[in-house]
Amino acid sequence: MTTSSTSARRARLAGLTASAAAMGVLVSACGGSGGGSSSSPENFSYLSVTENTTVKTALTTLSEDGCKAADDALPLKVETVPQASLDQKLQLLAGQDALPVQFAAGNAPALTQQLYRSGKVADLEAELKSLGVYDQLEPAAVSTIKALYGGKVEVLPYEYNIEGIFYNKKIFSANGLKVPGTWAELVAAAGTLEAKGIQPFSASGQQGWPLTRLISGYLYRSLGPDALQAVADGKAKLTDPAYVKAAEEVAALGKKGYFGKGVGSIDYDTSMNEFLSGKAGMLYMGSWALANIADEKQNKVGADNVGFMPFPAVEGGKGSIEQYPSNVGLGITLGAKSFDKKTGAWVSCIAKNYGSTALKDQGAISGFKVNTPVENSNEVTGQVRETISASKQNVLWFEALFSTKATTVSQSNAAGLVTGSMSPEKFMRTVQDALAEK
């Protein structure tokens, strides 16, 4: 995620509540009639997650300014649910043939694909081309969406994120640390901070995905960019020694106390606050965090003291530090049946204006083109934007190709991996077993 969100939120939290199999039964029971009511919508209804405020804020701004005409014809109406409850909510609404006009996609891409195949999600590539605004999507964002959704454009890129490690420049400088280029150097830097009484990493064990992202980061660097595609294709298993090695390395960070105390109970907001208040030296996160970093009320260390580095190389590995994990946050999609002329006017306006609005007001990077020049709010935002522009090959995240159930199993057990209550071998076996279930 999904916005994640926020953003991540974005999206892929541990509390997913229903398996892909259950979703399949529900969709078949609903038939393929399409999302939303059969009549024209009365509002531009938008279902989001509580944790993601970026998209809601930008849409509200557009409704009052750049997209006021669209809003006058079809007023924006926002509803939110906790991200952990999102999948269950979507399944309930799908079963009632009552999906809103626009809604946050499921925590796992597999759920949205099932809704799409049942006719409940709009073919956004076709709709955007019909509206003449398909070219307002950044090619890199389209590539990422299609990699996630079986070659289809099933969500809009309200966020386009690359992931890496944000670090506190002041803490690094005061402790004589340089930006680590290898995994060994990263572990050594963490050890230096721990010895000085500084928590090396802040992470949300409650959400789980900030920890499993470290596993996939190691896999991509050690085995190459196709490491998890090989698992999805049945050519490799998470229980293979080279895959278990990645879990072992992340578990070792936890064993050494590098995530601090009580990581299993730390939620997303708390982990972000730990880093932005200077209590931790590093935070693995996506570029959606730029909105938090630019917020002076949240960021007590100052935006100028935050740097960004790629996930480090693994010595002897087949991957490259220039291969950034990327995602479109908590993807936002639209119901098929409710996509009428008024909805199209909203979507057309969003495609032309959202990129500039989100960047200008919140420092948030989206997958929409920025049609109005916007100065970078701070140095790290400029660094990330340049990195995105120069990036030629991106990879996904740990659960990107997993089923809904395997995603839940992975993220809900991540804290146990780093606290020592579950061995790396058992963690990977448990996730692999969930993948094998149909």
Side-chain angles (χ1 to χ4, degrees):
M1 78 73 150
T2 214
T3 128
S4 63
S5 196
T6 258
S7 238
R9 344 173 276 128
R10 269 156 193 6
R12 320 193 196 284
L13 307 189
L16 309 183
T17 55
S19 69
M23 183 61 204
V25 172
L26 184 152
V27 168
S28 64
C30 300
S33 60
S37 169
S38 58
S39 60
S40 297
E42 297 180 357
N43 305 99
F44 189 57
S45 52
Y46 169 56
L47 174 64
S48 183
V49 296
T50 307
E51 295 87 346
N52 186 323
T53 59
T54 303
V55 179
K56 178 179 70 174
T57 299
L59 288 179
T60 300
T61 298
L62 288 174
S63 73
E64 298 168 348
D65 187 13
C67 298
K68 189 175 186 306
D71 186 71
D72 287 343
L74 194 66
L76 175 67
K77 181 180 180 181
V78 178
E79 178 186 356
T80 63
V81 296
Q83 189 162 5
S85 303
L86 175 63
D87 286 10
Q88 186 179 40
K89 179 73 169 181
L90 291 178
Q91 292 177 47
L92 176 63
L93 292 174
Q96 298 171 341
D97 203 20
L99 286 167
V101 174
Q102 186 175 220
F103 52 93
N107 287 288
L111 193 155
T112 303
Q113 287 181 277
Q114 289 169 329
L115 288 173
Y116 180 86
R117 287 193 295 269
S118 73
K120 295 187 177 298
V121 167
D123 181 343
L124 293 179
E125 182 169 353
E127 295 289 2
L128 292 171
K129 286 181 176 178
S130 177
L131 292 167
V133 294
Y134 186 69
D135 62 349
Q136 295 302 306
L137 304 186
E138 292 285 4
V142 172
S143 177
T144 300
I145 291 170
K146 289 188 174 182
L148 288 169
Y149 295 94
K152 303 291 185 180
V153 178
E154 298 177 11
V155 301
L156 293 177
Y158 282 89
E159 299 163 330
Y160 183 66
N161 310 297
I162 59 171
E163 299 178 12
I165 300 173
F166 290 92
Y167 66 98
N168 186 308
K169 291 180 179 179
K170 188 174 182 179
I171 288 177
F172 266 52
S173 177
N175 290 279
L177 297 176
K178 296 181 179 180
V179 175
T182 67
W183 178 260
E185 291 174 354
L186 179 70
V187 174
T192 297
L193 295 178
E194 178 72 14
K196 297 292 183 65
I198 301 169
Q199 183 177 318
F201 297 98
S202 179
S204 170
Q206 187 179 102
Q207 267 67 61
W209 59 261
L211 298 171
T212 61
R213 293 294 217 267
L214 301 178
I215 299 175
S216 54
Y218 191 94
L219 286 173
Y220 286 131
R221 296 295 186 257
S222 60
L223 301 180
D226 297 325
L228 289 167
Q229 185 65 56
V231 174
D233 293 342
K235 298 176 181 178
K237 293 184 177 181
L238 296 176
T239 50
D240 293 345
Y243 288 80
V244 174
K245 170 68 173 175
E248 290 174 342
E249 290 291 337
V250 175
L253 298 178
K255 185 176 182 180
K256 294 174 182 177
Y258 293 168
F259 295 110
K261 297 179 179 179
V263 62
S265 62
I266 298 296
D267 62 17
Y268 177 88
D269 290 337
T270 301
S271 68
M272 182 67 70
N273 181 65
E274 283 184 341
F275 177 71
L276 295 179
S277 62
K279 296 178 182 178
M282 293 177 279
L283 174 75
Y284 182 95
M285 195 53 60
S287 51
W288 59 81
L290 292 171
N292 304 86
I293 292 168
D295 186 343
E296 295 181 359
K297 293 181 179 179
Q298 294 185 59
N299 189 355
K300 304 304 181 183
V301 304
D304 291 341
N305 281 323
V306 178
F308 178 80
M309 61 173 134
F311 194 95
V314 172
E315 294 181 356
K318 298 178 182 178
S320 167
I321 62 170
E322 296 177 351
Q323 295 161 348
Y324 286 86
S326 64
N327 65 69
V328 287
L330 185 64
I332 308 296
T333 193
L334 288 101
K337 255 191 169 177
S338 56
F339 205 114
D340 63 2
K341 185 177 180 179
K342 291 181 180 180
T343 299
W346 249 114
V347 172
S348 180
C349 187
I350 288 169
K352 295 174 183 177
N353 296 284
Y354 186 92
S356 300
T357 297
L359 183 61
K360 177 178 179 293
D361 294 347
Q362 301 179 80
I365 298 172
S366 75
F368 294 106
K369 290 185 178 178
V370 176
N371 293 316
T372 303
V374 178
E375 291 187 11
N376 297 318
S377 58
N378 50 58
E379 183 178 346
V380 70
T381 296
Q383 180 188 355
V384 171
R385 289 183 69 188
E386 290 174 5
T387 300
I388 290 175
S389 297
S391 180
K392 292 183 173 60
Q393 182 179 16
N394 295 337
V395 292
L396 299 176
W397 63 94
F398 191 58
E399 297 92 1
L401 304 176
F402 289 4
S403 65
T404 305
K405 180 173 183 179
T407 298
T408 302
V409 169
S410 172
Q411 295 175 357
S412 61
N413 285 291
L417 175 69
V418 300
T419 58
S421 64
M422 177 177 276
S423 71
E425 295 82 0
K426 185 176 181 181
F427 174 82
M428 295 299 254
R429 183 173 66 253
T430 300
V431 180
Q432 181 63 47
D433 288 346
L435 282 173
E437 293 184 19
K438 301 299 183 181

